[in-house]
Amino acid sequence: MKSDHYKHAWYDDRMQQREGVRNVAIIAHVDHGKTTLVDAMLWQSGLFRANESVPERMMDSIDLEREKGITIMAKNTAIVYRDVRINIVDTPGHADFGSEVERTLTLVDGVLLLVDAAEGPLPQTRFVLKKALEAGLPPIVVINKIDRADARPAEVLDEIYDLFIDLDAAEDQLDFPVLYTNARVGTATRDRNEPGQSLEPLFEAVLATVPAPRFDPAMGLQFRVAMLDWDDYVGRLIIGRIVNGRVRQADRVAVVHRDGGVEPAKVTVLYGYEGLKRVEVEEASAGDLVAIAGIESIEIGETVADAESPVALPTIRIDEPTVAMLFSSNASPFAGREGRFVTSTQLRERLWKEKRINVGIRVEETDSPDTFQVSGRGELQLAILIEMMRREGYEMEVGKPTIITRTEGGRTLEPMEYLVIDIPEEFIGAVTQKIGPRKGQMAKMVNHGSGRVRLEYRVPSRGLIGYRSEFLTDTRGTGLLNHLFDGWDAWQGDIAHRQNGALVADRAGRATAYAIDHLQARGVMFIGPGDQVYEGMVVGENARDNDLDVNITKEKKLTNMRSSTADEGVKLTPPRSMNLEQCLEWIREDELLEVTPKSLRLRKRALAGRRRF
C-alpha cells in the first residue's frame, strides 16, 4: 500500500517538481557503518576546509552515541552536489528507538539501504526497510565494508533480494541500483571487481534514483512535524518537511491538532540545514527540511498549515511504550555529595523537557510528589535516558523496570518481542538454555553452513530485561541479538527473576578488608575495602535466596598478643562491578538503584533493618 503523501504525490496531474532538491534517509543496522558513510559524503561534498578540525562520526552528536556506537536520535544534514541540495536523514537502527524511524520516513522521497558485506541484512534493517517499502520509497542498496577479510558481497546481495521479496516489494522497487563501498576510506563503485576512487557513483545514484520533491502549487502551507528539539535561546524547535506551500520568518500560521482543533501561531525563527549546522533562512518552500521556532503547543505528527485555509496532513502513529520505571529524587544518606541537580523540582523539569523533545518517552505524575513514572519502548531507551541525566549532573533513584500490560475481554495481555539471534554454532546450547525459562518460543532456526546459526524466537518483552549482558557473556562477545515489538499476547506466566538474596549493610561506616574477608564465604561482594556504606545499602549478593544483614565495617580488635595490623595477608576476591543495565536487571521490587554522576549504588527501599523484616 502506498502512503497517503506518496499516492498524492505520484498520481496527481497538477503536481510540480523541485529539481534542485533530493531528500533521502539512510537505513542500516547498528554498526554497519552508516554514520561513517555520512562523514565521507560530507567531506567529499567540499563542505569542510582541508585544515578544518572535524570529529569522527560527526552525526553522532551525543557522547553516548559515540561510546555505544549506535544512533539514538534521528538527525539530518545537507550537502550540495552538482547544484542539487541533498538532504540526508540518519535513522536509528535499534527497535527501542523505532518511534524515530516512522517519522523520519515522512521527510524523504527515497532510502539508502546500507548493509555490511559480511553480516548481511539483519532484523533491524528489516524493520525500517519494511516501513520504507510500504511508503513506496525507491531504494538504493549500498554494500559496505567490502574491505573486510570475511566479506561475501555476492551472497549478501542474494540475501537482500530475498529480503525484498519477503517484504512484498513492488516490481519497480526490486530494480534497485547496487553500490559497493568502503565508507572508512570514502570510495564507492558499481562493479565490485573494480576498486572505487570516490563517492561520486553514490551521489550520481541518489540524483538518478530518488525523485525530486513534488508539490501542489494550488495548496497553501502544509508542514508536518516529525521531530522536536530544544534551543536555549529560541525555545522549542519543530522539525519537519514542507509538503506544500512556503513559509517565511514572522509568518502567521495555523496549527491543526490531532483532534481537529485549530490554533493560531507565529513563526519567530526559521532554520535550514547546511552540513551539520542549522542556519537561519528568510524563507523555505515545498520539499525543504526546516526547523521552526515560536510554536509551543504542537505535538509530533500534527500539521502547521496556512492561516487562512488550514488543511491537515495525515497524522503519524507512534509505537506504544512497553516498559515503565519509577524515577524519584535521591533520598539516600549520601544524597547531594556528587550531583549538582538533586531536588525533585529539578528532576521533574528535566523529565518534562525530555518528554517535550522525545515522543518515544512518556512521563506521568504519581501519588508521591517526588516520584515520576517514565515509560519507553525498551529498557535500553530508559537506561540511555538515565545515563544521559547522570552525565548532566543529576542524582536520582530508580526502581525495577516493569512491563506495561493491557486488559481486553477480561484477559491480561503483555507486549511480545520478535527476537533474532546470530551466534557461532558452539553457543547454541548456552543460548537456548537461557531463553527457555524466559518463555521464548523458537519460530525458526537457520544454519548457513558458515559456522554461524540464526535463531528466531517469540518472547515476552519482560523476558528480555537484562538478558543482553548475559547473552554477551555466554557467547563471549561474538553473538548478535536484536528484537522488534511483535504485538500483544496473553500473559505468559511467571518468569523467574534473581534466585539469590542480598547482603545488606546493617550500619554506616567504611568497609574493611577484615570484614570482607570473613563475609566472602557468604556470597559475592559489590564493594571493596575503604568504600563508604550506609545502613540499608546492598553490599553483595547472598549465596542463598534470603536477604542477610551484615556488618561490613567490622575492624580487627587489638589484643595483648599482637597488634591489630600484624596478621597474615588477607586474600580478597575482586568485587563484582556491574554497569547500569546489569544493575537494573539485578534489583527486585523492594530495592532501588541510586544513580549519581560518579556512582551506582544498590539499596533497599526501607533502609532501617527493623522496617524491612
Side-chain angles (χ1 to χ4, degrees), residues 171-241:
E171 269 185 51
D172 55 336
Q173 288 175 327
L174 283 169
D175 189 20
F176 49 74
V178 181
L179 291 108
Y180 302 90
T181 63
N182 178 352
R184 266 197 314 197
V185 294
T187 61
T189 174
R190 284 287 185 116
D191 182 353
R192 65 172 179 271
N193 299 317
E194 289 208 4
Q197 303 302 318
S198 70
L199 287 178
E200 202 165 314
L202 177 59
F203 289 132
E204 292 293 344
V206 170
L207 297 193
T209 310
V210 179
R214 295 167 72 88
F215 64 97
D216 184 345
M219 285 294 288
L221 172 66
Q222 283 186 309
F223 168 95
R224 189 198 280 116
V225 183
M227 291 179 261
L228 300 173
D229 205 346
W230 183 265
D231 185 292
D232 289 337
Y233 296 103
V234 296
R236 195 182 201 195
L237 289 171
I238 57 171
I239 301 166
R241 170 175 167 169

Side-chain angles (χ1 to χ4, degrees), residues 24-29 32-34 37-38 41 111-117 120-121 125 139-146 153 156-157 160 164 176-183 187-190 199 201-203 205-206:
V24 63
I26 297 196
I27 296 174
H29 189 82
H32 277 198
K34 165 181 56 184
L37 182 69
V38 174
M41 293 172 82
V111 293
L112 206 141
L113 173 65
L114 187 71
V115 179
D116 188 300
T125 323
I140 299 169
V141 170
V142 176
I143 298 178
N144 190 29
K145 302 193 187 181
I146 51 169
V156 166
L157 184 56
I160 293 170
F164 271 74
F176 49 74
V178 181
L179 291 108
Y180 302 90
T181 63
N182 178 352
T187 61
T189 174
R190 284 287 185 116
L199 287 178
L202 177 59
F203 289 132
V206 170

Side-chain angles (χ1 to χ4, degrees), residues 357-409:
I357 62 173
N358 184 349
V359 287
I361 280 186
R362 285 190 194 160
V363 184
E364 292 157 307
E365 303 268 7
T366 63
D367 299 338
S368 165
D370 62 349
T371 304
F372 310 95
Q373 178 170 305
V374 182
S375 319
R377 261 293 294 128
E379 58 164 331
L380 177 69
Q381 190 184 26
L382 295 177
I384 279 178
L385 171 62
I386 295 167
E387 185 63 46
M388 282 164 66
M389 287 173 68
R390 73 183 284 217
R391 290 180 185 208
E392 290 164 19
Y394 285 85
E395 285 193 15
M396 68 201 121
E397 291 175 340
V398 295
K400 177 181 166 59
T402 55
I403 290 298
I404 298 170
T405 57
R406 52 164 73 164
T407 310
E408 273 179 25

Side-chain angles (χ1 to χ4, degrees), residues 43 84 120 134 168 257 402 451 455 494 522 581 601:
W43 272 112
V84 176
E134 283 173 0
D168 296 331
H257 295 294
T402 55
L455 308 172
D494 284 338
R522 295 285 190 176
E581 282 97 339
R601 297 188 194 94

Side-chain angles (χ1 to χ4, degrees), residues 60 62 64-65 68 70-75 91-93 97 100 358 381 384 388:
D60 285 352
I62 307 174
L64 259 176
E65 293 185 315
K68 290 185 178 279
I70 61 173
T71 300
I72 295 169
M73 301 287 283
K75 292 176 281 298
T91 62
F97 310 105
E100 299 275 328
N358 184 349
Q381 190 184 26
I384 279 178
M388 282 164 66

Side-chain angles (χ1 to χ4, degrees), residues 503-550:
L503 297 175
V504 187
D506 66 356
R507 68 199 69 192
R510 196 178 284 277
T512 64
Y514 176 74
I516 292 174
D517 184 39
H518 284 76
L519 289 170
Q520 282 185 145
R522 295 285 190 176
V524 181
M525 292 295 148
F526 295 159
I527 63 169
D531 289 352
Q532 287 275 13
V533 298
Y534 52 80
E535 184 185 1
M537 180 170 153
V538 175
V539 294
E541 183 176 277
N542 193 0
R544 301 190 175 185
D545 59 2
N546 60 311
D547 289 347
L548 187 67
D549 275 14
V550 296

Side-chain angles (χ1 to χ4, degrees), residues 6 10 17 21-23 109-110 138 206-214:
Y6 225 80
W10 280 118
Q17 268 184 226
V21 178
R22 296 288 189 281
N23 295 319
D109 300 301
V206 170
L207 297 193
T209 310
V210 179
R214 295 167 72 88

